[in-house]
Amino acid sequence: MAETLEERKKRHHQEDLQRLRGFRPIDDTFMRCLFRNNVPLAEMVLRIITGKKDLQLVSCETQADLKRVTGAKSILLDAYGTDSMGKKYDIEVQRADIGADPHRARYHSSMMDIENLDAGEDFSSLPDTYVIFITENDYFGENQPLYPVQNIITTTGKPFNDGTHIIYVNGEYRGDSDVGKLMHDFNCTQANDMIFPLMAEKTRYLKENPKGVSEVCKQMEDLRNESILEGKILTLIDLVQDGTLDIEIAAAKANMTVDEFKETM
């Protein structure tokens, strides 16, 4: 007998609860929930990674969608913050090495520039930007806690001072420094095993408080629905491109305007 819609929803919910038990901060779905409306936690993480003990974060947005150039590849940032000096921070967790390719970090950096310079503004108005990749593996294999990347003038070795910063954080690192302790926490499934109270407190809320559990399950449900919608849109694009379906009809089926649908092609 075919599974009913209600039965499918219940099955998905039980599967989501099982996944939640194994979630760690280095899992992007859980990380986004940890940082949502949680400026103090994001600020603590940034202070440790950047070494700026006086850094004051004024905002932190999760799942920030950056796309200001028509036809350009859009990106969805795990956590996007601004400090009191106007500097911008993109914090990403990357479990697979393929997601930590330096070209991806470069693209994130360039999209942050586009996002923060309007028509008519001088280039000197660009804020300093920090792209931070927290990788589950030691991406560069040099057993360093951090791999800061900055542009330099190769003939002199002096910094280029363009305000761009990329930092890779080694998720395997377990030294006695705050970075090592932070990476320990990023790999914990249980709040009681964590070192930093801010991390443990929010993890406990999301895993043990019914409201917190609902938040994470809603995030997983939304991601599942987005995946279904993306599959539907890809099918519609194929039908338009091979001439089977008019673009106006395809756009209507995707609940988009024609211009919005064209941007996805």
Side-chain angles (χ1 to χ4, degrees), residues 143-171:
N143 197 33
Q144 296 296 311
L146 301 171
Y147 299 96
V149 181
Q150 282 185 254
N151 291 325
I152 64 167
I153 303 169
T154 55
T155 52
T156 65
K158 294 181 178 179
F160 188 50
N161 291 325
D162 60 351
T164 62
H165 308 266
I166 295 172
I167 304 174
Y168 278 68
V169 187
N170 176 6

Side-chain angles (χ1 to χ4, degrees), residues 133-233:
F133 277 12
I134 301 174
T135 61
E136 183 167 24
N137 303 316
D138 183 1
Y139 184 81
F140 296 103
E142 299 290 343
N143 197 33
Q144 296 296 311
L146 301 171
Y147 299 96
V149 181
Q150 282 185 254
N151 291 325
I152 64 167
I153 303 169
T154 55
T155 52
T156 65
K158 294 181 178 179
F160 188 50
N161 291 325
D162 60 351
T164 62
H165 308 266
I166 295 172
I167 304 174
Y168 278 68
V169 187
N170 176 6
E172 292 185 28
Y173 186 75
R174 295 295 184 275
D176 292 331
S177 66
D178 282 347
V179 174
K181 294 173 183 176
L182 184 65
M183 290 305 97
H184 165 272
D185 282 7
F186 260 82
N187 284 274
C188 287
T189 59
Q190 301 297 322
N192 289 339
D193 296 330
M194 292 179 170
I195 297 169
F196 292 101
L198 282 174
M199 187 78 78
E201 179 184 350
K202 189 61 181 285
T203 297
R204 188 172 291 108
Y205 168 76
L206 292 172
K207 291 201 173 205
E208 301 175 18
N209 186 297
K211 289 184 179 180
V213 171
S214 294
E215 284 183 28
V216 184
C217 287
K218 177 65 165 57
Q219 172 82 6
M220 287 189 277
E221 181 182 356
D222 289 346
L223 289 172
R224 185 161 49 242
N225 290 337
E226 286 174 15
S227 179
I228 293 171
L229 178 60
E230 287 174 3
K232 176 182 177 181
I233 291 174

